[in-house]
Amino acid sequence: MTPAEALATLRAAEARDGRIGVEARRDLLARLADALLTHAEAIAAALDADYGGRSRLETLLADVLCAVDAARYSRRHVRSWAKPKRVAVPYPFWPTRAWEEPVPKGIIGIMAPWNYPVQLALVPVVDAIAAGNRVAVKPSEGTPRCAALIARVLEEALGPAIAATVQGGPDVAADFAAQPWDHLVFTGGTTTGRKVAEAAARNLVPVTLELGGKCPALVLPGADLARAARDILVGKAVNAGQTCVAPDTVLLVGHTPEAFAQACRATGIGLPETALANEAQAARLDRLAEGAALERLAPDAGPRHRALALAFPPPGHPLLREEVFGPLLPVLALPDLPAAIAWVAERPSPLAVYLFGATAPETAMVARSVRCGALVQDRAVEYAAFPALGFGGTGHSGSGRYKGIAGFVAFSTNRARVVHGKWSLSRIFDVPRKKFAPQLIERLVRKR
């Protein structure tokens, strides 16, 4: 199925069957959660094969259960989200009634990446279905076995009148982005995200972009260094650092790189459970690390199954500019918190900033000085699994938010409804106007 065929099929279903009611949405969400659990082990095996070594437990937690939790959460709350909301009417228009009602946008296109191919394809599907839309999904060609399973899950749970799956490589992805969807969701790199946004703009398609950036971890003087090192490495080890919200660079204030490295070695966290996804990813990381001193926290288990490594790059090194997206963790010592804030502010806004050991005044200083999608204290990455917490970036790290009510709102049009009474005070200004109307208007606009 081509992107155009998927769109045409779903448009025809929309015209034939009409809007999806709230109770039907709840049923679809329940079926989607059940289908994911039914195929959970097959998904884990498929991703293990696609990666050449993907942790079964990470797949079950970060891909399958994240999507299941999102479906169950939205199913519980969609009735209240979908209720119309009364809006105040100025007294000259009384007894007019006005309200806003969330209605589906229509057909939502979703483009998912390879790093969390199930979660990042199906959580937007959950939000779109909760809002009453139909969906077309373009899974990543980088995980072809998993893409085939996503298609199977969508067909079994939602059916061809609600969901379509489009598979293929970069040419198909470019065609997908160029279709006149009612909303387009893209998760991936900033460079590709810019191209997707440009393609969507030609059809005036609104977009949700979930991109990336250098998510810094600020370790401040009040931090327990042993605990901070452990919490940062736990977040970095998930999916071998191939996570858009993984700690990207550690900024040390009041601690030395040597002390931080010693604390990292003491954690015993060294070899991630998951390998690098492909040879191109491994080659990119090798190029990125050239010229930086590395300290591996364990032996590698293979060419693509690599240990976490601390990196100590010289000034101006690419590791301090480019998103790492792998098991390398640059470490940089800075003289004080203003210097750390300046380091973050000089770069494109990240998805997340992680604070360790921050006092209330320090937290407030960072909050008012730094632009980011999330400000998280004393842990990393986990917040992205909260189904009720809106997720998204700002600037180069993305635009728009999804998950929970944020996703419901993103994929709904808040339509205005008005019912006028037979008479209202405002009608005295109707044409042809009475003689006193101009004088009354003059009095109304006079400064009081």
Side-chain angles (χ1 to χ4, degrees), residues 80-103:
S80 63
W81 296 343
K83 287 181 179 178
K85 295 176 176 59
R86 289 289 297 269
V87 175
V89 175
Y91 77 87
F93 300 95
W94 291 356
T96 297
R97 291 179 294 119
W99 66 96
E100 293 177 339
E101 59 180 7
V103 296

Side-chain angles (χ1 to χ4, degrees), residues 113-190:
W114 52 261
N115 61 325
Y116 294 95
V118 174
Q119 179 199 149
L120 297 177
L122 297 190
V123 172
V125 166
V126 165
D127 293 344
I129 295 298
N133 300 279
R134 290 169 169 82
V135 294
V137 177
K138 167 63 179 73
S140 172
E141 67 274 14
T143 49
R145 298 170 184 85
C146 188
L149 271 172
I150 289 171
R152 183 175 175 183
V153 166
L154 290 174
E155 184 175 4
E156 289 181 7
L158 307 182
I162 303 295
T165 306
V166 177
Q167 301 191 56
D171 290 344
V172 174
D175 187 18
F176 193 96
Q179 297 301 313
W181 311 105
D182 297 304
H183 195 109
L184 179 62
V185 182
F186 170 81
T187 304
T190 301

Side-chain angles (χ1 to χ4, degrees), residues 13-242:
E14 182 182 47
R16 181 184 67 244
D17 302 332
R19 190 186 307 176
I20 305 168
V22 171
E23 292 309 313
R25 302 176 203 177
R26 296 183 74 248
D27 179 60
L28 290 168
L29 292 170
R31 286 161 51 184
L32 181 58
D34 288 345
L36 279 166
L37 293 174
T38 297
H39 293 287
E41 292 297 341
I43 290 169
L47 269 179
D48 183 47
D50 282 337
Y51 268 64
R54 173 81 185 279
S55 164
R56 170 179 171 271
L57 292 181
E58 287 184 357
T59 297
L60 295 179
L61 286 170
D63 273 290
V64 175
L65 287 178
C66 273
V68 169
D69 287 348
R72 288 174 171 171
Y73 179 82
S74 291
R75 185 177 184 274
R76 287 196 303 271
H77 293 277
V78 67
R79 284 195 189 113
S80 63
W81 296 343
K83 287 181 179 178
K85 295 176 176 59
R86 289 289 297 269
V87 175
V89 175
Y91 77 87
F93 300 95
W94 291 356
T96 297
R97 291 179 294 119
W99 66 96
E100 293 177 339
E101 59 180 7
V103 296
K105 284 190 171 180
I107 314 298
I108 310 299
I110 298 166
M111 304 177 71
W114 52 261
N115 61 325
Y116 294 95
V118 174
Q119 179 199 149
L120 297 177
L122 297 190
V123 172
V125 166
V126 165
D127 293 344
I129 295 298
N133 300 279
R134 290 169 169 82
V135 294
V137 177
K138 167 63 179 73
S140 172
E141 67 274 14
T143 49
R145 298 170 184 85
C146 188
L149 271 172
I150 289 171
R152 183 175 175 183
V153 166
L154 290 174
E155 184 175 4
E156 289 181 7
L158 307 182
I162 303 295
T165 306
V166 177
Q167 301 191 56
D171 290 344
V172 174
D175 187 18
F176 193 96
Q179 297 301 313
W181 311 105
D182 297 304
H183 195 109
L184 179 62
V185 182
F186 170 81
T187 304
T190 301
T191 300
T192 305
R194 185 176 289 108
K195 295 177 182 177
V196 168
E198 290 171 352
R202 287 192 283 272
N203 289 311
L204 297 180
V205 174
V207 294
T208 296
L209 301 176
E210 300 301 343
L211 307 176
K214 296 189 72 62
C215 297
L218 278 61
V219 182
L220 302 183
D224 178 331
L225 202 55
R227 180 174 176 178
R230 179 174 184 80
D231 288 338
I232 291 169
L233 291 182
V234 166
K236 189 66 168 178
V238 175
N239 204 31
Q242 299 166 120

